[in-house]
């Protein structure tokens, strides 16, 4: 008999299908290490747990129960009402030490803290020392093949650690969290027998249960995607006490279905967190003394909080001119302009940024607000992906090159001095040399301050995988990518040169990694600024000389630049309010 005990549930919404499953299988059936490798005390202990567990499992969960617990992510973990095959005690972390490692985007950084917040409440401890960990959790990324390869390589390293640990009292448990768990599901458990836990991006509330199951030597997985999970009530734990900035997740998922992108399949449908809970988190961060929040989401400016019924009849907001969507128009709810307005009022000394937006959702209200409000950074990420209208159509981005360029002009008119960044993909299906040159010319035309450039990586499940041919040879993709990087750098250096001689407001982060005598911070456009750590005046008290600390605002006169960093000398310590007029 196959040792796998698996319950499948399929749920369909629109174009997305998600398979949710909870999976349990015995240690010996899957372990690559012979059972004799287990020390007898541990084996006896495990045998006891296992028999007990197996008998409870046999008499315990029904099919209905699995369906219920599969949709449990929306509920808080209920310690008083554990699933029938676990005791309350087994659901608790019992001071086990968890080591968390994050890969990929800022959403994953935030998700790591959400996962940790949930585990901490369950009695787990966190360790920064891999060697002393009882549980290692990797928060993973699937966006490109290379991102996944990094995880596979890491798993091979961890295998050695786990094998060694099997001889100790507490066996090491390894979990894959996030997009890769969602994309590959049981393929991971089959390929890497040493993985004990799989948790998709919407299943973090289920981690205490998954870990409890893994404790008894079973593999455990929950990869159910949710229509409404936003972890609104889970406040991520601020891990570094000296941190000046934090990420605040405001929405999850994506409905855009760009033809190359795996995100809608790994992170599910778009849903927004209620405004009230976002404001509560921002207020708490302000009380903790943080000076910068970055609002996070896959399509952060498509935000639409429909949780308050009275706002649900509101007319739909206009898309940027010349932009369309792959989905039916959505109506009502509190939109991004409202949220941005509210968030920026919480603390005038707190900088507000947001990422990653979609170019289609930049109505004038948003642009005006960014222009008017001193503490909303004049920095916009506007992922173009390609400079060729033909490729943009194949990518299903919903705009042409012309519409994108018109939007750039409109943004620059609305927010003078705005700093712009973008994402580009080199070598998408069918991209010709002429298409590539169109992208080069867009980079020259816009002159971005920052850029994120990638070679196209075919992802299974996507529309491009099913309908298009990945026909640009790897070496051509890489050559085109190199060309884009070179052009981007040249243009960014030119764009940054305009800052030389200007005085910029910099939020100090700490000492420069390269030199203990220099400080490092970020300007309004999010570029790194390096300057000597010297005494300076404070604008509010000219009597005393001060040294800048992390979290201070200082004025820095820019003296030189490269494509990625600015250098200068510090003039004085100031506040955000007192420094609105510069350059
Ligand atoms: N291949 C290469 N780059 C990709 N991106 C998304 N999917 C792929 C892919 N399959 C890039 C896009 C996106 C950024 C987050 O990653 O540029 O904006
Ligand atoms: Fe992927 Fe497009 Fe959604 Fe961005 S907008 S996450 S590129 S599908």
């Amino acid at each position: 008999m196959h040792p796998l005990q698996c319950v499948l549930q399929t749920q369909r919404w629109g174009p997305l299908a998600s398979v949710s499953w909870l999976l349990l299988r015995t240690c010996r059936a899957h372990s690559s290490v012979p059972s004799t490798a287990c020390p007898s005390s541990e084996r006896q202990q495990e045998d006891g747990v296992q028999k007990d567990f197996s008998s409870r499992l046999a008499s315990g969960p029904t099919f209905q129960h699995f369906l219920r617990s599969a949709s449990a992510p929306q509920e808080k973990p209920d310690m008083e009402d554990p699933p029938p095959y676990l005791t309350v005690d087994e659901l608790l972390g019992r001071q086990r030490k968890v080591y968390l490692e994050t890969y990929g985007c800022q959403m994953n950084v935030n998700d790591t803290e959400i996962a940790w917040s949930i585990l901490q409440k369950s009695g787990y401890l966190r360790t920064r020392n891999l060697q002393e960990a009882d549980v290692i959790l990797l928060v993973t990324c699937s966006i490109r093949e290379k991102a996944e390869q990094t995880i596979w390589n890491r798993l091979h390293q961890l295998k050695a650690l786990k094998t060694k640990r099997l001889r100790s009292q507490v066996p090491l448990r390894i979990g894959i969290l996030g997009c890769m768990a969602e994309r590959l599901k049981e393929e991971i458990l089959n390929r890497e027998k040493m993985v004990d836990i799989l948790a998709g991006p919407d299943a973090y509330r289920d981690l205490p249960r998954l870990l409890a199951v893994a404790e008894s030597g079973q593999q455990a997985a929950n990869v159910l995607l949710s229509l409404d999970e936003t972890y609104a009530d889970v406040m991520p734990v601020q891990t570094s006490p000296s941190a000046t900035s934090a990420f605040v997740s405001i929405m999850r998922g994506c409905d855009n279905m760009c033809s190359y992108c795996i995100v809608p399949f790994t992170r599910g449908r778009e849903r927004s967190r209620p405004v009230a809970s976002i404001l509560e988190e921002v207020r708490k961060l302000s009380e903790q003394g943080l000076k910068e929040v970055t609002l996070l989401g896959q399509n952060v400016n498509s935000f639409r909080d429909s949780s308050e019924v009275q706002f649900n009849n509101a007319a739909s907001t206009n898309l940027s001119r010349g932009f369309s969507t792959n989905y039916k128009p959505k109506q009502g709810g509190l939109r991004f302009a409202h949220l941005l307005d509210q968030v920026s009022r919480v603390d005038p000394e707190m900088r507000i940024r947001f990422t990653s937006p979609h170019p289609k959702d930049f109505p004038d209200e948003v642009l005006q607000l960014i222009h008017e409000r001193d503490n909303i950074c004049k920095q916009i990420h506007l992922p173009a992906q390609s400079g060729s209208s033909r490729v943009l159509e194949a990518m299903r981005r919903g705009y042409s090159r012309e519409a994108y360029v018109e939007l750039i002009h409109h943004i620059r008119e609305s927010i003078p001095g705005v700093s712009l960044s973008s994402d580009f993909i080199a070598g998408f299906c069918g991209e010709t040399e002429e298409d590539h040159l169109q992208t080069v010319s867009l980079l020259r035309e816009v002159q971005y301050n920052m850029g994120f450039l990638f070679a196209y990586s075919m992802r299974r499940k996507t529309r491009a995988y099913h309908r298009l041919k990945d026909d640009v040879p790897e070496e051509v993709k890489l050559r085109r990518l190199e060309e884009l990087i070179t052009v981007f750098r040249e243009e960014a250096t030119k764009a940054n040169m305009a800052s030389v001689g200007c005085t910029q407001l910099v939020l100090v982060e700490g000492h420069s990694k390269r030199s203990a005598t220099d400080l490092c911070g970020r300007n309004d456009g999010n570029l790194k600024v390096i300057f000597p750590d010297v005494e300076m005046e404070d604008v509010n008290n000219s009597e005393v000389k001060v040294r800048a600390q992390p979290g201070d605002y200082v004025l820095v006169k820019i003296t030189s630049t490269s494509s990625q960093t600015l250098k200068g000398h510090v003039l004085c310590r100031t506040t955000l309010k007192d420094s609105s007029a510069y350059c």
Side-chain angles (χ1 to χ4, degrees):
M1 197 177 92
H2 199 278
L4 196 71
Q5 300 174 41
C6 172
V7 178
L8 284 163
Q9 180 194 1
T10 310
Q11 191 190 50
R12 280 191 180 273
W13 0 268
L16 292 180
S18 100
V19 178
S20 90
W21 43 282
L22 293 136
L23 188 151
L24 310 165
R25 60 182 176 180
T26 64
C27 157
R28 232 157 272 141
H30 78 260
S31 175
S32 56
V33 180
S35 60
T36 47
C38 298
S40 58
S41 65
E42 183 209 322
R43 215 171 46 237
Q44 276 161 17
Q45 212 182 342
E46 283 216 334
D47 280 346
V49 172
Q50 208 146 319
K51 261 187 222 135
D52 186 33
F53 181 89
S54 305
S55 57
R56 270 183 285 142
L57 192 61
S59 62
T62 61
F63 182 68
Q64 286 312 317
H65 173 81
F66 278 105
L67 294 187
R68 187 159 49 86
S69 39
S71 58
Q74 282 91 345
E75 298 156 18
K76 290 185 196 146
D78 187 352
M79 296 298 171
E80 274 157 31
D81 185 19
Y85 51 93
L86 289 172
T87 64
V88 174
D89 189 47
E90 280 164 342
L91 271 183
L92 295 174
R94 288 175 276 180
Q95 310 275 302
R96 293 276 198 263
K97 293 197 180 100
V98 182
Y99 179 90
L100 287 143
E101 205 164 85
T102 313
Y103 295 82
C105 65
Q106 286 150 333
M107 280 301 277
N108 274 6
V109 176
N110 195 253
D111 277 11
T112 305
E113 299 315 321
I114 286 172
W116 168 233
S117 180
I118 289 163
L119 288 173
Q120 190 182 34
K121 286 209 180 84
S122 231
Y124 285 87
L125 301 175
R126 187 160 184 181
T127 177
R128 308 266 167 193
N129 178 355
L130 189 69
Q131 300 301 326
E132 66 171 30
D134 302 311
V135 180
I136 297 174
L137 300 177
L138 308 184
V139 183
T140 62
C141 171
S142 275
I143 196 113
R144 285 168 287 276
E145 183 62 36
K146 211 168 137 197
E148 289 192 353
Q149 196 49 53
T150 311
I151 309 288
W152 290 120
N153 295 345
R154 184 64 172 145
L155 280 175
H156 288 146
Q157 291 170 356
L158 296 178
K159 199 177 205 165
L161 200 67
K162 182 164 183 169
T163 311
K164 224 164 63 192
R165 278 294 205 77
L166 276 173
R167 293 182 200 99
S168 74
Q169 259 322 93
V170 182
L172 181 62
R173 304 294 177 205
I174 294 177
I176 297 289
L177 273 49
C179 290
M180 211 170 144
E182 195 64 54
R183 193 180 89 79
L184 295 172
K185 302 187 171 75
E186 75 264 52
E187 198 180 319
I188 298 181
L189 299 182
N190 292 335
R191 219 172 118 172
E192 279 304 338
K193 310 281 187 227
M194 37 81 81
V195 172
D196 305 283
I197 303 138
L198 282 189
D202 289 343
Y204 300 143
R205 287 185 202 272
D206 203 20
L207 277 172
R209 185 189 67 81
L210 296 172
L211 278 165
V213 171
E215 272 278 308
S216 60
Q218 321 294 306
Q219 284 182 311
N222 183 345
V223 288
L224 182 77
L225 284 174
S226 159
L227 288 176
D228 56 7
E229 177 62 276
T230 59
Y231 300 107
D233 58 317
V234 181
M235 294 290 157
V237 185
Q238 210 43 51
T239 44
S240 160
S242 68
T244 53
S245 51
F247 297 123
V248 173
S249 164
I250 67 161
M251 55 85 65
R252 297 175 76 84
C254 178
D255 286 350
N256 287 327
M257 305 295 277
C258 300
S259 63
Y260 51 82
C261 189
I262 192 68
V263 167
F265 302 93
T266 57
R267 287 193 164 259
R269 297 297 296 266
E270 197 172 294
R271 65 222 103 121
S272 295
R273 179 177 167 186
V275 170
S277 97
I278 297 169
L279 292 177
E280 193 191 328
E281 186 174 342
V282 174
R283 271 186 220 111
K284 276 196 186 140
L285 294 168
S286 158
E287 281 158 21
Q288 285 170 24
L290 270 86
K291 291 295 174 58
E292 182 180 270
V293 294
T294 304
L295 307 178
L296 280 186
Q298 259 85 36
N299 286 278
V300 78
N301 56 336
S302 312
F303 180 87
R304 185 185 298 272
D305 168 18
S306 309
S307 64
E308 294 187 42
V309 181
Q310 71 267 33
F311 299 110
N312 284 344
N313 293 325
S316 57
T317 346
N318 294 336
L319 293 175
S320 311
R321 222 172 56 216
F323 286 72
S324 63
T325 60
N326 290 327
Y327 52 80
K328 276 197 248 144
K330 299 178 187 179
Q331 294 224 317
L334 293 168
R335 301 302 318 271
F336 188 61
H338 172 87
L339 177 75
L340 202 53
D341 173 43
Q342 295 289 302
V343 168
S344 63
R345 286 174 194 274
V346 168
D347 179 353
E349 286 301 307
M350 194 180 227
R351 271 182 170 171
I352 313 299
R353 301 185 191 277
F354 55 89
T355 200
S356 182
H358 192 287
K360 71 180 160 50
D361 279 312
F362 273 110
D364 286 345
E365 302 95 277
V366 171
L367 300 179
Q368 254 163 36
L369 204 59
I370 299 174
H371 173 54
E372 283 165 14
R373 226 29 84 74
D374 288 339
N375 65 335
I376 304 180
C377 292
K378 276 89 196 119
Q379 174 221 347
I380 295 186
H381 185 59
L382 216 59
Q385 312 299 357
S386 171
S388 151
S389 294
R390 210 182 63 80
V391 173
L392 287 169
E393 200 179 332
M395 288 176 162
R396 302 192 94 214
R397 289 289 292 175
Y399 53 86
S400 62
R401 177 197 173 102
E402 291 68 34
Y404 180 87
V405 170
E406 195 186 317
L407 178 64
I408 293 272
H409 289 312
H410 182 53
I411 289 177
R412 283 196 160 137
E413 277 159 20
S414 310
I415 312 168
V418 65
S419 168
L420 294 173
S421 56
S422 183
D423 295 345
F424 284 96
I425 299 177
F428 184 62
C429 309
E431 185 190 76
T432 62
E433 215 50 38
E434 169 54 27
D435 294 320
H436 167 63
L437 291 176
Q438 292 268 316
T439 303
V440 170
S441 94
L442 185 65
L443 281 168
R444 294 241 185 255
E445 187 172 345
V446 177
Q447 207 173 66
Y448 297 96
N449 301 81
M450 273 192 248
F452 303 89
L453 312 167
F454 313 100
Y456 174 59
S457 166
M458 174 68 97
R459 310 313 283 140
R460 261 188 286 152
K461 273 200 183 174
T462 59
R463 194 180 165 92
Y465 174 80
H466 289 296
R467 311 252 176 116
L468 304 174
K469 216 165 149 212
D470 185 13
D471 54 1
V472 178
E474 207 52 34
E475 65 277 12
V476 176
K477 282 182 189 168
L478 293 178
R479 194 253 303 150
R480 288 181 188 169
L481 178 63
E482 283 301 316
E483 284 173 11
L484 295 184
I485 292 172
T486 306
V487 173
F488 158 72
R489 286 212 177 118
E490 283 170 16
E491 295 303 318
T493 309
K494 281 190 222 159
N496 294 341
M497 281 290 281
S499 311
V500 175
C502 290
T503 299
Q504 297 198 340
L505 181 69
V506 174
L507 176 59
V508 179
E509 289 178 349
H511 277 103
S512 156
K513 281 196 190 111
R514 297 221 176 130
S515 150
T517 57
D518 285 337
L519 287 173
C520 169
R522 302 245 163 206
N523 69 4
D524 190 273
N526 212 17
L527 274 177
K528 207 181 253 185
V529 182
I530 311 279
F531 53 95
D533 178 9
V534 292
E535 284 195 331
M536 70 197 83
E537 264 186 21
D538 184 302
V539 282
N540 291 317
N541 184 357
S542 55
E543 311 271 288
V544 291
K545 292 272 185 192
V546 292
R547 291 290 267 272
Q549 303 298 318
D552 283 347
Y553 287 107
V554 292
L555 287 179
V556 176
K557 182 143 186 161
I558 305 300
T559 50
S560 67
T561 66
S562 69
S563 67
Q564 291 179 29
T565 318
L566 309 182
K567 285 189 176 167
H569 58 259
V570 69
L571 301 179
C572 60
R573 186 166 77 177
T574 184
T575 63
L576 201 154
K577 266 188 300 182
D578 287 328
S579 65
S580 36
Y582 55 97
C583 203

